[in-house]
Amino acid sequence: IRPVRIREIAEAVGWSESHFKAVFRAETGQTPHDYLLRRKIRRARQMLATGNETVTSLALALGFSNDPALSS
């Protein structure tokens, strides 16, 4: 999985990164980083419940640097 870069999303819609972050937060009530982190954690929970992968392999597959990063 390739990491999602906020800068790339902002550029794709023709906005500066700071403008994108401000609009995103105003619309969703959370920062883009927090939103992506919550999605990754939700996906990890689904994968743990339905698969037989280790926490470490899931953490790395979802873009975390290690398994403690997933649990923090």
Side-chain angles (χ1 to χ4, degrees):
I1 297 176
R2 186 170 101 39
V4 175
R5 305 262 186 245
I6 303 305
R7 176 184 32 69
E8 293 172 354
I9 298 170
E11 288 173 358
V13 296
W15 293 347
S16 69
E17 185 175 347
S18 61
H19 181 68
F20 176 81
K21 287 178 179 180
V23 170
F24 190 94
R25 186 174 190 129
E27 292 295 320
T28 66
Q30 57 188 336
T31 66
H33 173 79
D34 288 344
Y35 173 80
L36 292 173
L37 181 61
R38 284 186 173 95
R39 288 203 38 129
K40 285 181 181 182
I41 291 169
R42 189 169 39 241
R43 180 69 179 132
R45 285 182 183 147
Q46 292 171 343
M47 293 170 77
L48 282 169
T50 60
N52 58 358
E53 293 187 59
T54 66
V55 173
T56 301
S57 65
L58 284 175
L60 296 175
L62 292 169
F64 292 96
S65 56
N66 51 39
D67 55 327
L70 174 60
S71 64
S72 58

